[in-house]
Amino acid sequence: MEDIELATLVNASRDGDADAFAEIVRRFERMARATGYALLGDAHQAEDAAQDAFIDAYYALPQLREAAAFPGWFRRI
């Protein structure tokens, strides 16, 4: 799935494709944890925050207007 474009994965995730969302998580988990750590200063809390952010993102995907904008949109979550 590494060769699939992000927009394709986002659109598939919107349609309920769990494997597509798992690939999004794989691609962005490092960034999510790093952002959480920068804000919280604790690795365990950063991991929890990253998990929460991915859950929030999954449920908010229908609100994302441009699938290719996922990285910036996700950082705000």
Side-chain angles (χ1 to χ4, degrees):
M1 273 200 166
E2 290 183 24
D3 57 339
I4 298 175
E5 288 188 29
L6 178 59
T8 301
L9 291 171
V10 169
N11 289 326
S13 296
R14 284 179 176 158
D15 292 336
D17 186 336
D19 291 332
F21 193 72
E23 177 63 17
I24 291 172
V25 171
R26 191 192 67 72
R27 290 184 186 187
F28 290 95
E29 65 186 339
R30 188 178 296 174
M31 180 207 56
R33 285 194 313 265
T35 301
Y37 186 80
L39 293 170
L40 301 169
D42 179 88
H44 296 290
Q45 289 181 355
E47 181 69 29
D48 289 344
Q51 290 176 7
D52 290 343
F54 281 115
I55 292 168
D56 290 348
Y58 180 78
Y59 287 111
L61 274 178
Q63 299 167 6
L64 176 61
R65 292 184 195 157
E66 180 59 43
F70 180 86
W73 176 80
F74 180 65
R75 281 187 197 99
R76 288 191 304 273
I77 292 176

